[in-house]
Structure formats: structure tokens, C-alpha cells
Amino acid sequence: MASSSGASSGSTAMLRNSSSEEDPQQIMDLRKRKRMLSNRESARRSRMRKQKHLDDLTGQLRQLARENNEILTRMNVISQLYMNIEAENSILRAQMAELTHRLDSLNEIIEYANFSDGLFEPEDAVASVSATSHQIGDGFFMNPWNNANSHVNQPIMDMVMY
């Protein structure tokens, strides 16, 4: 048995010698496999980062497209409101021009009436109305000029009948 154990220990030493010779090759293979696994894992992580970045950009694109559509919709609404207000403004400008023209015409008539050479005087108007009302009748409602002038300086209490 001793011989078998001696042979066995010799073969173990031989295995150690042969394994120590193969060790650099095995170590290089092991390192190569580890490096390959590490590179695969790194490439996988890189692909995942790239995919996440692509997904983020896609989401951002969708969000910006929605915002762009909302802005375009608001812009269309505002443009329509602007056109409506511009049309209303044009109408108001035309009305203002017409009213300004009428006002100028009325001011010219008033100016002509006030600065005429005695053709139209307020006293003459009262006299002509009084003469006409005397022809129709002397009632209060028929001659407002005379009735109004007769009570102008009297206090309100004097007009009350007892």
C-alpha cells in the first residue's frame, strides 16, 4: 500500500507540475472569460442606458408635440378673436367717423344760429310762439311760454291752490 500511496503522491506532484504549466494558460483563459463576461455586462448596461435615453427622448417628443398642438390651438383661437375684434373696431371707427360728421354738422348749425345777423333770436322765437298760441287759445297747455314766464320769480308755495 505504501507503494501505491507513493505512486499516488508522485502522480500528484506530476499533476502539480503539469497544472503549474497549464496554470498560465488557464489563468489567461479564465481572465479572458471574465473579461468577456464583463464586456458583455458592460455592453448590456450600455444598451439599457441607450434604450432608456431613447425612451426618454420619445416621451419628451410626445410631450412637446402635445404642447405644440395646444399652442397652435390657442394661437388659432386668439387669431380668430383678433379678427373679430379688428372687424368690430373697423365698425366702431366707421360709426365714430359718421357721428363726428353729424356732430360737426350740428355744431355748424348751432354756430350759424348763434352768430346770424338777427335772423333767429330766442326772443323772436318766444314772440312767434306766443302769437301762434294766442290764436289757438289762452290755456296753460296752449301757451307754455307765457305761463312759464309768469311764475318764474314766484316761490313754489304761491303756486299751490288752497
Side-chain angles (χ1 to χ4, degrees), residues 2 28 36 39 43-44 46 57 67 97 104 108 110 113 116 118 120 123 126-127 135 144 153 155:
M28 286 180 66
M36 283 176 50
N39 286 345
R44 186 184 68 79
S46 178
L57 288 176
E67 289 176 13
D104 290 343
E108 286 178 17
I110 291 171
S116 66
F120 183 76
E123 294 166 0
V126 172
Q135 292 172 356
N153 292 327

Side-chain angles (χ1 to χ4, degrees), residues 15-134:
L15 279 174
R16 272 191 222 146
N17 284 340
S18 72
S19 72
S20 63
E21 289 174 7
E22 289 183 31
D23 259 356
Q25 184 63 36
Q26 285 180 347
I27 292 172
M28 286 180 66
D29 286 345
L30 184 61
R31 285 182 184 165
K32 188 175 181 181
R33 275 185 270 156
K34 283 184 179 179
R35 194 170 48 247
M36 283 176 50
L37 287 175
S38 175
N39 286 345
R40 283 182 188 155
E41 183 61 26
S42 176
R44 186 184 68 79
R45 286 191 310 264
S46 178
R47 284 190 303 271
M48 289 178 65
R49 278 193 309 269
K50 186 177 179 182
Q51 185 63 43
K52 183 181 180 323
H53 184 63
L54 183 63
D55 292 343
D56 291 345
L57 288 176
T58 304
Q60 188 178 8
L61 176 68
R62 277 183 260 150
Q63 177 64 28
L64 291 173
R66 274 193 301 268
E67 289 176 13
N68 194 23
N69 286 335
E70 289 173 9
I71 290 170
L72 286 174
T73 302
R74 280 188 275 156
M75 192 172 82
N76 289 335
V77 168
I78 290 171
S79 294
Q80 187 63 39
L81 288 173
Y82 173 78
M83 290 171 49
N84 291 343
I85 289 171
E86 191 65 36
E88 185 179 347
N89 199 12
S90 295
I91 292 169
L92 290 173
R93 282 188 183 124
Q95 288 175 346
M96 185 182 77
E98 174 63 27
L99 291 174
T100 301
H101 178 69
R102 285 183 186 180
L103 181 63
D104 290 343
S105 296
L106 290 173
N107 283 336
E108 286 178 17
I109 291 170
I110 291 171
E111 210 174 295
Y112 178 75
N114 286 338
F115 296 112
S116 66
D117 292 329
L119 294 176
F120 183 76
E121 293 291 327
E123 294 166 0
D124 290 342
V126 172
S128 69
V129 170
S130 293
T132 306
S133 65
H134 282 297

